[in-house]
Amino acid sequence: MPLQKNIRVRFAPSPTGPLHIGGVRTALYNYLFAKKHGGQCILRIEDTDSGRFVPGAEAYIIDALAWLGIRFDEGTVQGGPFAPYRQSERKAIYKTYVDQLISEGKAYIAFDTPAQLDQKRAEISNFQYDASTRMQMINSLTCSAEAVQARMDQGEPYVVRFKVEPDQEVRISDLIRGDVSFQSNVLDDKVLFKSADQLPTYHLANIVDDHLMEISHVIRGEEWLPSAPLHVLLYKALGWEDSMPSFAHLPLLLKPEGNGKLSKRDGDRLGFPVFPCDWTDPKTGDKSSGYREAGYFPEAVINFLALLGWNPGDDQEVRSMEELIRDFSLEKCSKSGARFDYEKGKWFNHQYLLSKTPETLAEAFRETLISKGFQPDANEQTEFNATDSHISMGYIVKAIALVKERATFVSDFWEQAGFFFERPNTYAEKNVKKFWKADTANLMQALYEQLDQLDCSDPHATETAVMDWINRNEYKTGAVMNAFRLSLVGESKGPHLFDIVALLGKKESLLRLKQAIETLK
Ligand code: GLU
């Protein structure tokens, strides 16, 4: 059996803004893969593109992934044997390898200014800086060593370019896509280093760090597949071919309609978040909404994302992080894009909400009640009490237990259960039209007298007694129930009617009946 190398993966975001939900999925798959194989998952911040650096983005990424329960073994926060993990702090390391490539003739120095490059682009259609054009440019291949030195001594800015050899076939064996091959001719002589900020570009820093940090598998989005041949050539040029990591390029997340890549605009257009947490752009003040603030449970987001592009092969949908780790495999990731089905995301949240106890949900609902002026506490109250802003946690728990089936988010509880805390003072017009007829007031008065003789604390017993009474008098069940519900709730919604009566209590239920009769007469 071949020796299994130690599994080490990395999530390597560039702090250029909030982390897109597709990036979260990449982080998740790296995490699942590492944990499944008892390996390490590393967070590396790729911030060498100073022009695109956005303050706050790194902290956002760390905070969002921590909220979701994606934990790193090494990174900017926890440190580790290969620290530092922020590329801007590793400048000197990259410089060594840039110098190595230059001295071995595998890279060269180029002085072309942006204006000169533009001019070439105007002259030559589809201009690419490569083997076919590099000898017409201003670089260390076309200038003498003295001239190059003189330009550098004068402080003229330059870049270092990778010298891509033409007519080579570059093969990548991708764990998701199989063998993919590229012609080196499609590649340009990529910039590896810029003298202006003394920083390497993404490509060089990425390869050097993957090598030095002993990364075994590069798991990243499909958008990086076109960079893979360049990366393979760089590994070879640096003499690291034998320790090259395996690649796995994940499928795109597609728009809900299924055509094209999911973007922030789709979220804005269809009203769902495409970021894990809220974000305000520090320059433009532009706001983007996140799953956390929209009321999602982190487990639901994880479960939802895990199944977007990975198919475990059975129909169990609700899976805990432990189960995801146990079952995850790159082989079962699909090549084709995964349609982003937002309704499915809500469905997952509903499932996780149902799996929580009413006690836990009541705790989460407390804040809403406080914001409405209530004081949830440990008092003994068991029934509705209009004169006291204190409500017992016990009462809240019972209300939640009755409505949780109907909620997707904790924030739905007020809409679903508000009438357990506030007596209705209006009645929904369209329900009144439908359910409150000329004789309804009399009918409700009769019901009032009937209920007054009952105890009302056992929903079952109340229901039996009321049904008996309806049958004896040959009333229409619907006529009684609809008007009764309207009186208690203020509209035609809510859980089982006699559960409502039991929780509100007899006194309050009668009061609400009386109020409806007087108001709607
Ligand atoms: N810094 C790149 C990014 O922002 C990393 C790509 C990779 O994983 O190689 O996604």
Side-chain angles (χ1 to χ4, degrees), residues 391-406:
I391 356 173
S392 73
M393 286 311 285
Y395 181 84
I396 300 169
V397 165
K398 284 189 191 152
I400 297 294
L402 291 178
V403 301
K404 67 186 254 202
E405 287 287 342
R406 294 152 204 272

Side-chain angles (χ1 to χ4, degrees), residues 10-14 26 44 46 202 206 210 218-221 223-224 231:
R10 83 306 192 267
F11 179 56
S14 299
T26 301
R44 185 172 75 220
E46 302 209 321
Y202 152 73
N206 186 268
D210 282 350
V218 167
I219 303 169
R220 61 185 173 189
E223 63 275 28
W224 298 100
H231 292 181

